[in-house]
């Protein structure tokens, strides 16, 4: 299986300031893999994605695919992980909110309800 070279964990981990996940009514720190998934989910599933000029430029594919390499170049993603695309694709494939392309090079918001 793919291995992910991890950089030091940063506080938060999500662009919108999150970093803790509820579990049984209590908060716990998110794992680094959860942070990576949550960050990409936030990039691709937020309602105001149309207002993000750069991301809209990357969504030239009519089916909504964005290269994983583009997302790994974002500053917050660079802080979370070394951009080993196959490993990041493997991590993202576990998210019910994301769909990874068959060739593992791109990702989009899932078209299935999460």
């Amino acid at each position: 299986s793919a291995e992910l070279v991890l950089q030091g964990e940063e506080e938060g981990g999500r662009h919108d300031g999150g970093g803790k996940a509820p579990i049984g009514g209590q908060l716990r720190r998110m794992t680094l893999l959860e942070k990576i998934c949550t960050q990409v989910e936030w990039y691709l599933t937020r309602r105001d994605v149309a207002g993000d000029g750069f991301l809209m430029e990357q969504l030239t594919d009519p089916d909504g695919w964005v290269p994983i390499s583009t997302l790994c170049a974002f500053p917050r993603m660079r802080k979370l992980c070394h951009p080993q695309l196959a490993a990041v694709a493997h991590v993202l494939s576990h998210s019910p909110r994301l769909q990874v392309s068959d060739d593992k090079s791109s990702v989009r918001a899932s078209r299935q309800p999460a």
Side-chain angles (χ1 to χ4, degrees):
S1 73
E3 288 186 30
L4 189 63
V5 175
L6 306 174
Q7 303 292 336
E9 288 195 27
E10 79 173 310
E11 286 300 313
R14 286 175 49 183
H15 183 72
D16 61 355
K20 296 190 177 186
I23 183 167
Q26 299 178 357
L27 290 180
R28 66 167 177 80
R29 282 198 158 311
M30 292 173 68
T31 67
L32 187 54
L33 301 181
E34 288 172 323
K35 289 179 182 182
I36 292 168
C37 279
T38 300
Q39 187 65 37
V40 174
E41 289 168 358
W42 187 83
Y43 287 143
L44 299 180
T45 61
R46 59 195 167 118
R47 295 180 193 268
D48 65 338
V49 72
D52 185 325
F54 177 77
L55 199 50
M56 282 306 296
E57 287 178 18
Q58 304 307 307
L59 289 173
T60 56
D61 180 276
D63 291 324
W65 295 104
V66 176
I68 292 173
S69 60
T70 298
L71 297 172
C72 285
F74 287 7
R76 189 161 305 266
M77 289 294 290
R78 284 195 314 258
K79 290 179 182 178
L80 290 173
C81 61
H82 184 76
Q84 295 181 22
L85 302 183
V88 173
H90 176 74
V91 168
L92 298 178
S93 70
H94 294 289
S95 169
R97 293 185 176 99
L98 300 172
Q99 181 180 3
V100 176
S101 63
D102 291 337
D103 67 0
K104 310 292 187 237
S105 68
S106 299
V107 64
R108 69 179 175 189
S110 178
R111 296 183 177 204
Q112 306 290 330

